[in-house]
Amino acid sequence: MKQKVCVIGAGFSGLVSAGVLAKEGFEVSLYEKNLFLGGRASSMNIEGFHFDKGPSWYWMPEVYDQAFHRMGVKRSDYYSLTRLDPGFRVYFDKLDYVDIPDDYNELRDLFENMESGGAVALDRFMKEAREKYTLGVNGMARMPSVSWMEFLSPALWKSAMKMDLFSSVADHVQKRFKNERIRKIMEFPVLFLGASASRIPALYTMMNYAGMCLGTYYPSGGFAGVVKGFEDVVKDLGVEIYAGTAVTGFETNRDSVTRIVLEGKQGVETDFVVGSADYAHIDTLLASKKRNYKSDYWKKKVFAPSALLYYVGINKKMEDIEHHNLFFHAPFDKHIDTIYSHPSWPDDPLFYVCCPSKTDEGVAPVGHENLFFLIPIATGLEDSEEIREHYFSMIISRFEEVTGENIKEHIVVKKSYGLDDFKQEYNAYGGNAYGLANTLRQTAVLKPSIRHRKLHNLFYAGQLTVPGPGVPPALISGEIVADYIIKNYQLKNGAL
């Protein structure tokens, strides 16, 4: 008889864990409280504009390919990729910007022009970053991290010495580059990992290699196309998907979950449960004495940024922006301080603008432009319409000033999305958008465990557990949990 698995939450980690388990012979049901799949990678259509509501950077393409491979298919059969050149643009002042080229030799020339010796320093930096990427993504990032015993291998410790776990990204960058603009460019990839560059282990300079050497891509159909690809695969593998179906509780015995409880319905029997929705929320569905962590535990954790987002459609084309645009014209450290050290609304925010219509004409009506604005902010702040309007007015004015183009009078569509929306749609603790910070004290075994300590058949996947925030880590997280269940089931009952 097939073992039954109930997966809660149809974000990327839930889709991948469901697909891998189904491929290995489990009977899998996937429950999603929203009517759409993809979690934070949802999308919407307004008056001819198609907006991806969440992720917009497609880095580390081999991680996506690996996830599809684990489910027995090829990613290329579901969507295609366009490599962007430039990968992204960084604005420092009015009409003063740097484009990060896709070609590495051009990148070397750029760094050399910005700083004497910059090309050689970049070579050394990327050589180290490549080693960290190989060791990290193909090694440590794929470990379940349920015990320190996993890390006792001499080979692993030898590798760890190359990974700069005990120095910071900021220290690593500043030792190699003097130019302040180069430093900002090199520190940017860790901005959404959950802490300032001075607190993120230098291991994560591997993200520079991922973004600047492996390339920045755009998937056909945007991230909605990626979600559709995973959805099609899991359906073909026989996963039963129940959208618009919230899990509201668990029935348990002494050491296991016996049933999941659905809103307004009878419980569903199960052999295993994968909780890929918000970890802290899933814990609250258990009786207090059965929870993996007490509420105070989450209050003490360091969260990656949340975000205030705006989806904007304008009835004109823009000349002076690229697909991805970073606005670093304001004091960098001051904004970072309002996210991590002194949580508060920033006075002078940095922000990011995505313009997918530069690459994909199908996301906006002819002659129009699709714009996605993002301000990284702390979790747990007050959210209101007045605050959102204040910041929209502020960043639109700065966007116009820096790019030299007027768009206020050309806005035909506008919708905001903030902390309260993350809470409402995803039960996100504190309105978090990216999960837990990848600080040293929240790495590997020090992250919330994928395995419940009291209920042996309840597991967790997603951005609040290993390996961390971002779409590629979420995909890996789904694989980790699926593999852990497969391994333990095989050990207990023999091969499937």
Side-chain angles (χ1 to χ4, degrees):
M1 180 181 295
K2 288 186 176 182
Q3 297 283 290
K4 296 180 180 179
V5 182
C6 290
V7 179
I8 305 170
F12 283 119
S13 64
L15 288 166
V16 171
S17 61
V20 173
L21 287 166
K23 179 69 169 57
E24 293 298 322
F26 289 84
E27 182 181 325
V28 183
S29 299
L30 177 59
Y31 298 88
E32 169 55 55
K33 86 176 191 72
N34 294 308
L35 292 173
F36 55 83
L37 306 189
R40 286 162 172 77
S42 59
S43 60
M44 63 182 175
N45 296 295
I46 307 176
E47 298 180 20
F49 293 89
H50 174 83
F51 295 102
D52 278 332
K53 292 171 61 179
S56 58
W57 293 82
Y58 196 104
W59 280 359
M60 305 165 67
E62 75 284 359
V63 175
Y64 294 80
D65 291 355
Q66 165 70 6
F68 279 98
H69 176 72
R70 288 298 313 279
M71 296 185 288
V73 297
K74 293 181 179 179
R75 184 271 310 158
S76 56
D77 290 336
Y78 293 87
Y79 60 88
S80 60
L81 297 175
T82 299
R83 189 159 177 160
L84 303 182
D85 187 19
F88 55 96
R89 172 173 289 182
V90 181
Y91 284 91
F92 293 102
D93 208 340
K94 184 175 181 178
L95 299 179
D96 179 10
Y97 57 81
V98 171
D99 284 338
I100 305 303
D102 179 59
D103 182 81
Y104 184 73
N105 287 324
E106 292 180 20
L107 183 64
R108 292 182 80 253
D109 291 342
L110 173 65
F111 274 49
E112 187 64 32
N113 289 333
M114 295 174 72
E115 175 180 313
S116 178
V120 173
L122 179 66
D123 288 340
R124 292 173 179 167
F125 185 99
M126 287 303 183
K127 181 177 183 295
E128 295 170 345
R130 182 178 67 244
E131 291 177 353
K132 294 172 189 174
Y133 184 88
T134 301
L135 293 169
V137 173
N138 298 321
M140 289 185 68
R142 295 185 178 274
M143 300 176 73
S145 298
V146 297
S147 168
W148 286 113
M149 296 296 290
E150 297 172 39
F151 298 86
L152 293 182
S153 162
L156 182 61
W157 279 102
K158 183 178 179 181
S159 298
M161 297 304 293
K162 300 179 181 179
M163 298 176 79
D164 282 336
L165 288 171
F166 302 107
S167 63
S168 71
V169 167
D171 288 341
H172 192 78
V173 170
Q174 290 168 19
K175 285 178 182 177
R176 287 152 180 81
F177 303 101
K178 296 178 181 178
N179 183 278
E180 190 60 32
R181 292 188 172 191
I182 290 180
R183 289 178 175 181
K184 287 185 177 181
I185 291 169
M186 300 304 277
E187 289 180 7
F188 143 68
V190 303
L191 179 62
F192 296 101
L193 291 180
S196 65
S198 62
R199 295 187 62 190
I200 291 285
L203 159 66
Y204 292 102
T205 56
M206 65 180 180
M207 298 304 298
N208 297 87
Y209 175 73
M212 298 179 184
C213 294
L214 297 181
T216 301
Y217 297 82
Y218 178 77
S220 57
F223 268 84
V226 180
V227 173
K228 180 65 163 54
F230 279 106
E231 179 182 354
D232 289 346
V233 176
V234 299
K235 284 181 177 178
D236 288 344
L237 289 170
V239 175
E240 293 288 340
I241 299 175
Y242 299 91
T245 306
V247 175
T248 58
F250 299 102
E251 294 180 15
T252 64
N253 57 24
R254 184 177 62 84
D255 64 356
S256 63
V257 175
T258 56
R259 293 170 179 261
I260 63 167
V261 179
L262 306 180
E263 188 172 24
K265 297 181 181 179
Q266 221 170 9
V268 176
E269 291 186 358
T270 189
D271 296 298
F272 298 96
V273 177
V274 176
S276 77
D278 187 88
Y279 196 133
H281 170 71
I282 289 177
D283 244 10
T284 66
L285 302 182
L286 292 160
S288 57
K289 63 181 180 180
K290 293 278 191 179
R291 293 175 186 173
N292 221 17
Y293 301 103
K294 297 179 180 178
S295 59
D296 286 348
Y297 171 85
W298 298 104
K299 294 177 182 178
K300 297 175 183 177
K301 306 308 286 184
V302 178
F303 279 81
S306 189
L308 176 55
L309 307 165
Y310 301 97
Y311 312 101
V312 178
I314 60 173
N315 61 5
K316 63 173 284 188
K317 301 300 288 185
M318 295 198 65
E319 299 298 328
D320 289 316
I321 61 172
E322 292 293 339
H323 188 119
H324 295 297
N325 308 272
L326 300 162
F327 289 78
F328 287 170
H329 59 293
F332 198 87
D333 293 339
K334 186 177 179 182
H335 186 163
I336 298 301
D337 185 66
T338 65
I339 298 175
Y340 304 119
S341 301
H342 302 93
S344 57
W345 284 99
D347 294 328
D348 200 8
L350 309 170
F351 57 94
Y352 156 69
V353 178
C354 180
C355 185
S357 47
K358 287 286 180 180
T359 304
D360 183 355
E361 294 181 353
V363 299
V366 175
H368 293 59
E369 213 79 273
N370 177 316
L371 301 172
F372 168 101
F373 291 79
L374 182 154
I375 304 174
I377 59 174
T379 58
L381 302 179
E382 176 190 359
D383 188 8
S384 70
E385 200 58 40
E386 291 75 20
I387 291 173
R388 296 185 187 192
E389 284 301 310
H390 168 74
Y391 279 94
F392 183 72
S393 178
M394 182 188 297
I395 65 171
I396 287 297
S397 294
R398 291 181 182 172
F399 177 78
E400 290 183 329
E401 178 184 356
V402 173
T403 63
E405 293 205 50
N406 173 268
I407 67 167
K408 284 180 184 175
E409 61 190 44
H410 295 279
I411 295 174
V412 294
V413 166
K414 186 194 81 171
K415 183 175 177 60
S416 66
Y417 195 96
L419 294 162
D420 287 348
D421 299 297
F422 283 109
K423 293 175 186 176
Q424 190 276 324
E425 284 202 328
Y426 308 118
N427 294 312
Y429 184 88
N432 81 83
Y434 295 96
L436 286 182
N438 272 345
T439 60
L440 185 58
R441 293 184 179 183
Q442 294 181 168
T443 295
V445 181
L446 300 177
K447 281 190 182 293
S449 177
I450 67 164
R451 185 180 64 180
H452 197 285
R453 293 174 295 176
K454 302 171 184 175
L455 304 170
H456 70 81
N457 63 342
L458 174 57
F459 303 89
Y460 301 85
Q463 61 187 16
L464 290 180
T465 183
V466 292
V471 177
L475 300 174
I476 293 172
S477 179
E479 289 186 55
I480 288 172
V481 170
D483 286 339
Y484 195 86
I485 292 172
I486 292 165
K487 177 182 177 182
N488 283 275
Y489 174 72
Q490 289 173 330
L491 289 174
K492 184 177 179 181
N493 299 317
L496 289 170

